[in-house]
Amino acid sequence: MSINNLKNYLLISTPGLNDSIFRKSIILICDHDENGAMGLILNKPIISEKNTSSVFKVIFEDMKIDSKIYFGGPVSLQSCFVLHDHSYLCKDTIKISKNISLTSNNEIIDDIKNNIGPDNYKINMGYAGWDKGQLENEIKNGDWLIKPLSDDFIFEISDQDMWEFSTLDLGFNSHDYMGKSGQA
């Protein structure tokens, strides 16, 4: 693995990362080159059965979409990105891996609404982005663990179990970590 191309890899936040946005986050890197990186947080639903007060819920209810909506990251929150399996393809679909694609247009939302969209998908509002060298510096700083994406991870592991599953899968027990000190 080259730190210069992390496309199709997962970033797993370390326990010492106390940033309120990225704490216990799992991010799929969708694009990474010499100019920076773009990814989607996979395990932070902003609309779910338990969370009914979100402004996004009102928007998607009006669109007649009955699905969890995820916080993809703090950049461009007005933009919708659908991470999905390879069962769906349109002209704007970008392949992330052999089995995972990304589409960001109204066509996929309409197709999901009409039950002709992908079999498995996650609707994300916003994305996580890094400028040139920023992600590499964060990795060197110890903010992120890196793991290749496995085919069944995104749609098979529950949101609340993703972070713990990923750290244990890497042989890293988060309960043994004595990370950066915080404030009481």
Side-chain angles (χ1 to χ4, degrees), residues 8 25 68 79 85 92-93 99 141 143 157 167 171-172 176:
N8 199 34
S25 287
K68 281 186 180 179
S79 298
D85 62 29
D92 295 326
T93 298
N99 297 313
N141 187 46
D143 294 337
I157 307 295
T167 56
F172 180 76
D176 295 338

Side-chain angles (χ1 to χ4, degrees), residues 7-26:
K7 181 177 179 178
N8 199 34
Y9 278 81
L10 296 173
L11 294 181
I12 302 147
S13 66
T14 60
L17 185 62
N18 286 321
D19 181 285
S20 62
I21 292 174
F22 295 110
R23 187 175 187 281
K24 290 193 172 186
S25 287
I26 303 292

